[in-house]
């Protein structure tokens, strides 16, 4: 199959090449964050966190709307994300507090999966996914 044939196949499966554009954006931001933390800050641990943080948030959260609306939604979620990171970091001081914290997270994630969109607990920040019943 030639390159043109593969491109036609891809366009048939992804008409607007939305998945390709999204993947390219996630890859660009991942590389930027990783190299900025690794070589700019000189911190290899922060580089790994930047890498996996961007991949997780880029792969799991779909925010609908125009670019301006998406940026506004993500900026509004930023303080909540920072608070959650802080709350997740504090128990890591001791192994037993970290284990109890993870037990609480596992409990919440399990019951969020049971309740799903009925409780407003849908994947990502999308209201559309909560209304449509997707998980």
């Amino acid at each position: 199959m030639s390159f043109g044939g593969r491109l036609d196949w891809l366009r048939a499966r992804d008409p607007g090449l939305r998945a390709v554009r999204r993947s390219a954006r996630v890859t660009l931001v991942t590389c930027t964050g990783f190299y900025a933390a690794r070589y700019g800050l000189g911190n290899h641990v922060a580089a790994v966190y930047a890498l996996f943080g961007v991949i997780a948030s880029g792969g799991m959260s779909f925010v609908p709307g125009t670019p301006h609306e998406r940026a506004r939604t993500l900026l509004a979620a930023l303080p909540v994300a920072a608070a959650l990171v802080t709350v997740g970091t504090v128990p890591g001081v001791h192994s037993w507090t970290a284990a109890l914290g993870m037990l609480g997270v596992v409990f919440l994630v399990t019951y969020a999966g049971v309740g799903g969109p009925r409780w407003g607990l849908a994947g990502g920040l999308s209201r559309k996914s909560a209304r449509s019943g997707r998980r």
Side-chain angles (χ1 to χ4, degrees), residues 7 12 17 20 27 29 41-43 53 59-61 78 87 90 93-94 104-105 108-109 113 116-117 120 129:
L7 191 58
L17 296 178
V20 172
T27 301
V29 174
L41 298 175
N43 190 341
M60 291 187 219
S61 63
L78 192 60
V87 168
V90 169
V93 174
H94 300 289
V105 168
L108 289 174
V109 168
S129 65

Side-chain angles (χ1 to χ4, degrees), residues 21-65:
R21 289 193 314 246
R22 188 171 179 202
S23 300
R25 280 194 304 264
V26 169
T27 301
L28 180 67
V29 174
T30 300
C31 291
T32 303
F34 177 82
Y35 285 112
R38 176 64 182 104
Y39 297 110
L41 298 175
N43 190 341
H44 66 279
V45 174
V48 173
Y49 279 112
L51 177 97
F52 287 111
V54 171
I55 290 173
S57 63
M60 291 187 219
S61 63
F62 170 72
V63 182

Side-chain angles (χ1 to χ4, degrees), residues 61-113:
S61 63
F62 170 72
V63 182
T66 64
H68 179 68
E69 292 169 341
R70 288 193 306 254
R72 189 172 59 224
T73 301
L74 291 173
L75 287 174
L78 192 60
V80 176
L84 288 173
V85 167
T86 302
V87 168
T89 304
V90 169
V93 174
H94 300 289
S95 296
W96 65 271
T97 56
L100 288 175
M102 284 307 299
L103 180 66
V105 168
V106 167
F107 181 79
L108 289 174
V109 168
T110 302
Y111 281 98

